[in-house]
Amino acid sequence: VCTHRIRSCSSIRFIKSKYVCVFDKSALKFSHQQRLFRTSAVSCGQIVQFKLSDIGEGITEVTVKEWYIKEGDSVSQFDSICEVQSDKASVTITSRYDGIIRKLHYSIDDIAFVGKPLVDIEIDASKGVSPEEDVVETPPMSHEEHTHQEIKGHKTLATPAVRRLAMENNIKLSEVVGTGKDNRILKEDILNYLAKQTGAILPPSPKAEIVPPLRKTETVPAAPKDKARKIPLPVSRPIAFSGKDKTEPVTGFQKAMVKTMSAALKIPHFGYCDEIDLTQLVQLREELKPLAELRGVKLSFMPFFIKAASLGLLQYPILNASLDENCQNVTYKASHNIGVAMDTEQGLIVPNVKNVQVCSVFDIAVELNRLQSLGSAGQLGTSDLTGGTFTLSNIGTIGGTYAKPVILPPEVAIGALGKIQVLPRFNGKGEVFKAQIMNVSWSADHRIIDGATMARFSNLWKSYLENPASMLLDLK
């Protein structure tokens, strides 16, 4: 006799292939290795062991930062289960099933390992489970697992229709900036993101068609500038003296920095510094900034710096290359994926703008706005943080002038940009004038880049920025 199903009633039904016998509960005795199961209204469900799948980039462990569910909660497909932190990005694990959470295998700040269960989810047995998924039944049975996850910093708001549209086009919701209420991702956000990735041209919005460009005589009302606000104020933080030493594990982005900088110490760095006169570029940006704002984009100096660097890399491709570990082969990268160092609450991160060589200054500004929004919210995905070929670090936003930047392997060059200062300089007639000066500090891998190459690249980059109109001759 084999037990097929047990119900909560006054009698227990045993099912065999040819007959059904019904016995009274009090007269039932088991003579072999059979056992009476405790029953409930949901006892016929299957328990799926939801395991952490391979996130990629060689990550084998993550830190559990937050649970979005608790034991006993009901979940549906694509509902966020938990947020984990790797040494490269934040990862939100989402449910693949409709069911009830029965067990959480980790607590907050625990280390979760790839291939180990995160939660147990009870699903409806009548729906069945495909054989490649982990199922715990009575008796338990296990199979190979699958999970569904998205890279982002917190639960993403989107309707099932929007999520389906993103899945059909292989788009990660973490890489899309929502324009709806509470940053909810709308269908238009997916279509705009898809058009940007495929190069499709979308019709302009009615606002862009109605509003004409501003004339030179017109001015955009700006908020009154208070000079006192430019003075950096000390950050007041409560100071607590415990009198005891404190030891914390190295995790997250700090752990990634330890690995990267340890590898960077093996590279012989060559330094080169110069100053750039940005007087003409400052004037040009002031003219273009209102036009960019009409398109909903904040235009900073960084898009110009990035585009000028890309034009320089076309002439000196050795700076957009990588050297293998044995120093036997140099790979010249076809794409200019220029990274921008950002200081966030999670630590120093370096997302990169992809394919700058085919982007306009405005395209770069749009992408920078997206990366900065995701970086501030902790939603940068792995694709945003990997694949860089050249890096610029803008220390001037904090107030620095000179720096000695450290190369990010496998890249071979990096530049640190200082703050823009108003300083006196001489023109060709020997007259003193007020100039907008910025200092730049370069570091290059001296194993494959000599000083003359670095200096020539810097001079070309400098010429583009000091005479921004000259970039028109090389823009594509």
Side-chain angles (χ1 to χ4, degrees):
V1 180
C2 64
T3 304
H4 180 69
R5 181 176 297 177
I6 302 175
R7 300 184 181 274
S8 299
C9 54
S10 60
S11 61
I12 299 179
R13 179 178 302 168
F14 288 87
I15 299 178
K16 203 174 180 181
S17 58
K18 295 183 179 180
Y19 57 87
V20 176
C21 298
V22 179
F23 298 92
D24 184 75
K25 197 171 184 179
S26 60
L28 182 62
K29 295 183 179 180
F30 293 95
S31 58
H32 300 289
Q33 296 179 356
Q34 299 169 338
R35 53 181 178 173
L36 180 63
F37 297 121
R38 183 178 181 182
T39 61
S40 64
V42 293
S43 62
C44 60
Q46 296 176 335
I47 305 298
V48 177
Q49 282 195 335
F50 195 88
K51 297 183 179 180
L52 177 64
S53 66
D54 187 7
I55 299 176
E57 300 294 328
I59 297 173
T60 59
E61 61 182 41
V62 294
T63 303
V64 179
K65 303 302 294 183
E66 182 179 0
W67 286 105
Y68 298 127
I69 45 85
K70 61 182 181 296
E71 294 182 1
D73 286 353
S74 298
V75 294
S76 302
Q77 293 187 41
F78 309 113
D79 282 353
S80 296
I81 294 179
C82 67
E83 177 190 351
V84 298
Q85 175 74 55
S86 70
D87 57 356
K88 296 183 181 297
S90 296
V91 180
T92 295
I93 308 299
T94 59
S95 176
R96 187 181 177 87
Y97 316 101
D98 298 330
I100 301 175
I101 301 298
R102 288 305 179 194
K103 182 179 180 181
L104 306 181
H105 287 269
Y106 298 98
S107 301
I108 300 297
D109 294 330
D110 283 354
I111 302 298
F113 297 92
V114 171
K116 300 298 183 180
L118 283 175
V119 297
D120 290 350
I121 304 178
E122 181 174 344
I123 63 174
D124 189 356
S126 62
K127 296 182 180 179
V129 188
S130 58
E132 67 270 10
E133 295 165 347
D134 275 4
V135 178
V136 178
E137 297 177 330
T138 307
M141 298 173 62
S142 61
H143 300 279
E144 186 180 350
E145 75 284 351
H146 276 281
T147 60
H148 180 78
Q149 58 196 26
E150 295 177 15
I151 310 294
K152 54 183 181 254
H154 56 79
K155 188 172 183 178
T156 300
L157 298 178
T159 63
V162 172
R163 294 182 184 274
R164 179 179 294 275
L165 179 63
M167 289 184 59
E168 291 175 351
N169 293 277
N170 196 24
I171 296 176
K172 296 180 179 179
L173 292 178
S174 59
E175 299 179 358
V176 181
V177 178
T179 59
K181 183 179 179 181
D182 298 329
N183 297 324
R184 180 180 294 274
I185 298 177
L186 307 177
K187 180 180 178 181
E188 292 76 11
D189 300 329
I190 299 293
L191 295 178
N192 291 333
Y193 180 85
L194 182 62
K196 180 180 178 182
Q197 297 298 317
T198 59
I201 300 177
L202 295 179
S205 62
K207 182 178 180 180
E209 295 177 351
I210 295 174
V211 180
L214 295 178
R215 300 178 182 177
K216 292 185 178 180
T217 58
E218 298 177 353
T219 58
V220 178
K225 297 182 179 179
D226 187 4
K227 294 183 179 180
R229 293 182 180 178
K230 296 183 179 180
I231 302 176
L233 299 176
V235 180
S236 58
R237 296 180 179 177
I239 301 176
F241 294 97
S242 61
K244 298 180 180 179
D245 295 341
K246 184 179 180 181
T247 302
E248 294 181 349
V250 179
T251 58
F253 294 116
Q254 190 178 18
K255 188 174 183 179
M257 183 183 297
V258 170
K259 294 180 180 178
T260 304
M261 293 300 102
S262 298
L265 287 178
K266 302 177 182 178
I267 301 175
H269 284 55
F270 168 79
Y272 181 84
C273 300
D274 201 356
E275 71 173 29
I276 319 295
D277 185 357
L278 300 180
T279 303
Q280 294 187 33
L281 181 61
V282 170
Q283 296 175 355
L284 176 63
R285 174 179 171 267
E286 289 299 320
E287 295 177 3
L288 297 179
K289 187 165 65 170
L291 299 179
E293 291 177 352
L294 289 176
R295 301 186 187 183
V297 176
K298 180 181 179 181
L299 181 63
S300 63
F301 290 103
M302 186 57 73
F304 297 96
F305 299 154
I306 292 175
K307 188 60 183 180
S310 178
L311 295 176
L313 294 176
L314 293 174
Q315 301 296 325
Y316 300 95
I318 188 63
L319 296 173
N320 195 61
S322 63
L323 185 65
D324 63 4
E325 295 182 358
N326 298 324
C327 301
Q328 299 296 322
N329 300 289
V330 178
T331 302
Y332 295 86
K333 303 293 185 178
S335 299
H336 296 173
N337 300 337
I338 299 182
V340 180
M342 294 183 180
D343 181 28
T344 67
E345 294 182 357
Q346 292 81 24
L348 177 65
I349 56 177
V350 188
N352 58 85
V353 181
K354 300 288 195 298
N355 299 312
V356 177
Q357 75 278 3
V358 295
C359 294
S360 66
V361 173
F362 181 78
D363 292 336
I364 299 171
V366 173
E367 180 66 4
L368 275 180
N369 282 200
R370 185 186 74 87
L371 293 175
Q372 289 168 349
S373 298
L374 294 177
S376 300
Q379 295 184 357
L380 284 171
T382 305
S383 60
D384 295 323
L385 298 170
T386 57
T389 61
F390 187 88
T391 298
L392 292 177
S393 176
N394 189 6
I395 62 172
T397 57
I398 302 177
T401 305
Y402 294 96
K404 187 179 179 181
V406 180
I407 300 171
L408 301 176
E411 300 175 18
V412 294
I414 185 175
L417 312 175
K419 64 180 179 180
I420 300 177
Q421 306 177 85
V422 179
L423 298 174
R425 290 295 183 267
F426 291 94
N427 59 17
K429 299 179 181 180
E431 300 170 342
V432 178
F433 71 99
K434 184 172 62 175
Q436 303 277 353
I437 301 298
M438 181 189 73
N439 298 101
V440 60
S441 305
W442 301 102
S443 290
D445 189 339
H446 213 358
R447 295 174 296 183
I448 59 173
I449 300 175
D450 55 71
T453 301
M454 188 74 253
R456 292 189 181 100
F457 168 82
S458 180
N459 290 336
L460 179 59
W461 181 76
K462 175 181 178 179
S463 67
Y464 283 132
L465 297 179
E466 291 188 340
N467 303 282
S470 63
M471 287 196 292
L472 296 175
L473 297 176
D474 297 321
L475 290 177
K476 296 182 180 180

